[in-house]
Structures are given as structure tokens and as C-alpha cells.
Amino acid sequence: MGSKDKNPRKRKETEKVNMIESDPEKTLDNNKSMIENCALEEAQNDDNEIINNEADNKNDLEISINYGNLWSRKGRMWYNRLSEYLFKEGYVNNPICPCVFIRKTISGFVIIAVYVDDLNIIGTNKEIKEARDYLKKEFEMKDLGKTKFCLGLQIEYTKNGILVHQSNYTERVLKRFNMDKANPLSTPMMGRTLNVEKDPFRPKEENETDLGSEVPYLSAIGALMYLANCTRPDIAFAVNLLARFSSCPTKRHWKGIKHIFRYLRGTSDFGLFYSNNTKPVLLGYADAGYLSDPHNAKSQTGYVFTYGDTAISWRSQKQTLVATSSNHAEVIALHEASKECRWLRSVTQHIQGTSGLPTDKNPTILYEDNAACVTQMKEGYVKSDRTKHIPPKFFSFTQELERNKEVDIQYIRSSENVADLFTKALSTSVFKKHVRSIGMRHLRDI
């Protein structure tokens, strides 16, 4: 759908809009040509983008525009145009989440979340209608009803909540890699042994050959990472583990990729279910897998944050430092989780406060299954032979949040710590229990 001039004195861009009327939410998808027109218009008025070169015979004048720089700027140009237009109507945003615009009125509120050319609108019905009418004054829009797809994510509405999943994308990926008819498995990765020489996830050995270019290892990793980052936290650790061998994968590693595909084959309709019957409380879980990479003496950081008992933020990543003990690894993991907790609290409190919603100022509970680590954070950094080599920054930041009552570090048994999903291979029963604990459900079960 291209740009369209109804009035030669006022150019109007075309957009398409997905509206959610019965639920306080909408989605706007802006047309690509509109953004390009915005970019061209601004660049043509920018003297820095115009280069005048006088020819040798002084008769020719060459004017050129740096189109490469222009197209790289068009997203920012569109954002500047949209934000300026929204600010005129009283919308506000905050550097902590600059792409979220909020407007509070006497009768309600409206929130517009911008992702490049996609806009999601949430709020009360009256304010949603006013936002739609206000945008129509500047942009042409088409009402497409409830949002069913957004950035590759599918949204299913039930009377008990919303399920966000990627079943269509999963089926396409399985078909792309010829795994759509494979036998399903119950977990995304095979078990690991304490014997380093028999670890299926060990690096390439001298007697092994690399996979050829005919094996799409990198493409498979990219497709799986998109799933793991959006709606499938259950495969995050397995994907992170196999992504380390992207430069020189072997048949062992490709077998691990196929193992994930077979797990997805049986759980293609898995997603995150956000219930409307749970208490909206932010909770965090942190864990470390000591020597998860025994070949490089590196450990694994894992954490997950839930809101209303469903995951909203998670991470599984190999630590960059060599931890000398399990306590050392847990301190590093808790430090990373504390940073994410600080940001999540800032975002939720800003949105709730600006929208006029009740704001929870109570400390966020952050669960950790290492008792020594919990004691160190609550009672202060203790310099001893076992901790004197750990940089104090890993203690100071979390302890400051504890003193300011922003977080409350609490001990939890390892068997109840759902962050184990992101640091180690688990048995089928434990894996399924933790997956359910972070709000993952089958589409057929809701």
C-alpha cells in the first residue's frame, strides 16, 4: 500500500491498523513507503546530506544524496515524526522505555508501544477510540479488528487470558528443515555426562570433520534463537549451548539441533499463557550452572522473571569470567538478574504510575538456591579466603538494591528453582514441572 496525496498541500501517509475493541489493545502497522517518504523529505532538507561538487570545467554541478545513510536513518526519522505528533496531544514517554507513549485522562488511559513500523495500543475503550481518531487526522488507517498476529507472534484470546505462541512459525521451520514428520521427544536436549570426554556437547576433536556448507547449521541456529527469545524459553539453554559451535559444528552438534526440532515437533502449539485470574506480582529466579562448559571452565547464568506467574523476561548465557566455585558462579548470576530486575521495576512502575494504575512499590522477591550467596547479599560483603578474589562490584550492586528495598533476595530449594531450566539439562519430570511453573501451556489445553 503506497503513499497517497489527497491534498497537494498536505501529504498523508497510508497505514494499516489492527484494532482490538473488546480488549483494551490495538495494533498499528505502518506502510514501508510512508517511512521512506518521511526519510526522503527530511534528507532533502538536510544540508549535510547534499554534496555539491564543481566539475573541472566549472560548467557542471553534481548534486548527490547519500542514500545509504538515508535508508539507515529512515526508522529514526519515522520515530521522530510520530513522537512529535503524539507529544502535541499530551502523550509522554520516558528514556527507560522511549518507544512507549502514554496519555492519561480523567476517564482512563491509552498506551502506544512502537516497534519500528508496528504500533500496539492498549487502554480503555474511550481513550482507544480517541487515539484512533487523532491518528486518522494525520494518517490513513484501516481497521482490521482484533490483533491476531504481531511481529511473527500469534495471539489467542480466551475468557481466562491470552496465549502468545508461534505455532505457525514453528511448523514452517520444521518443514524447512525436513523435520515436520519426525518422531517427537519430551525434552529439548539429551542428557549430559560428567565424563568430559563423552560429553555430546564437547568442542570439535582432531579426528572429527566439520559439517559442510550443505548442512544449514547457522540457519537452524538463527531460526531456533528467534523462538527461544520470543515465546519458547523452554529451549533457551539448549539453543545457547549449541550456538557456541557455529564456527565449526560437527555431526554431534547437528544431532543436538535435530533433537530440539523433534521436541518442537511435539510442542509446536506451546506458548506463554497470561491469565487474568492471577495476582500481578513481579517475581525473579536466578541460578548458575557451575562449569556448564567444562572444556573452557566456564559456568552458565540463568534467570527468569514472571508477572502473574508467567515468564516475561529470561536469559541463558555462558559467563565470561571463570568462576572458581559454585558460590562464585551464583554471585555472578545474581548480579545479572539484579540488573534485569532493576530495569523491569523501572518500566512497570513508569507505565503503571503514568497510566494512573496501582503501583506496586514493594521489594521484588528474587529467589536464589545458594544459601551462602543469599547470606552474603543480605549481611554484606565478607572478605575471606573464598571470596577475596571476587570483584566487589558483583556484591555491591545487588546489596544496594537490597538496602533500598528494591529487591528481596530469598532462598529457595534447588528443586523449586525454575531458573534451572536455563542452566542445565533436566530430567523429563523436573523439566515439565518447571515449564508449567513459568506459564507455558498448549494451545489445545486452554
Side-chain angles (χ1 to χ4, degrees), residues 139-247:
F139 310 111
E140 292 185 9
M141 299 183 297
K142 183 178 180 181
D143 189 347
L144 300 179
K146 274 189 175 184
T147 302
K148 296 295 181 66
F149 297 91
C150 181
L151 301 176
L153 278 62
Q154 296 171 248
I155 304 174
E156 307 290 341
Y157 301 87
T158 71
K159 62 180 181 180
N160 295 322
I162 295 176
L163 180 75
V164 183
H165 64 103
Q166 292 174 280
S167 60
N168 288 353
Y169 174 79
T170 303
E171 293 292 345
R172 290 199 304 269
V173 169
L174 292 174
K175 188 173 182 179
R176 174 185 171 189
F177 293 98
N178 300 316
M179 296 294 292
D180 54 319
K181 296 181 180 179
N183 295 324
L185 295 174
S186 57
T187 60
M189 63 183 297
M190 62 191 74
R192 304 182 68 182
T193 175
L194 296 177
N195 189 339
V196 176
E197 297 180 354
K198 295 183 179 180
D199 183 12
F201 299 100
R202 63 187 182 276
K204 172 182 171 293
E205 297 177 339
E206 294 182 358
N207 59 348
E208 290 183 301
T209 58
D210 295 343
L211 292 178
S213 58
E214 68 276 4
V215 180
Y217 191 88
L218 287 175
S219 297
I221 287 293
L224 292 173
M225 286 183 67
Y226 181 62
L227 280 171
N229 290 335
C230 294
T231 62
R232 299 301 300 264
D234 51 331
I235 66 171
F237 175 59
V239 174
N240 177 268
L241 193 60
L242 291 166
R244 302 171 189 174
F245 310 106
S246 297
S247 60

Side-chain angles (χ1 to χ4, degrees), residues 321-332 370-377 379-396 399:
L321 301 177
V322 176
T324 58
S325 65
S326 59
N327 176 242
H328 189 179
E330 297 284 356
V331 168
I332 296 174
N370 186 284
C373 183
V374 174
T375 302
Q376 290 164 350
M377 296 303 169
E379 298 183 0
Y381 173 68
V382 178
K383 187 174 181 180
S384 66
D385 290 340
R386 295 185 178 183
T387 61
K388 63 183 181 182
H389 62 287
I390 304 177
K393 70 174 184 179
F394 291 114
F395 294 93
S396 302
Q399 289 171 347

